Amino acid sequence: MWGASDRVVTPAYGRAVAAAVPGAQFVEVPAAGHLPHLEAPDATWAVIDPFLRRS
């Protein structure tokens, strides 16, 4: 999960990390920067909830 407007660590870096971790999935939070859980909590939970439900 990555903020689409993150200027500290860019989404491109997040994509590279996800590509290097087997089974990882990269998801962008469109209305957030470096702190998506604070900047866009509803959008963040919309990403996290489906992940948690898969377990």
Side-chain angles (χ1 to χ4, degrees), residues 10-43:
T10 66
Y13 182 83
R15 284 186 196 89
V17 170
V21 177
Q25 180 182 6
F26 178 84
V27 180
E28 250 181 44
V29 177
H34 190 65
L35 300 171
H37 62 292
L38 298 177
E39 298 165 8
D42 291 338

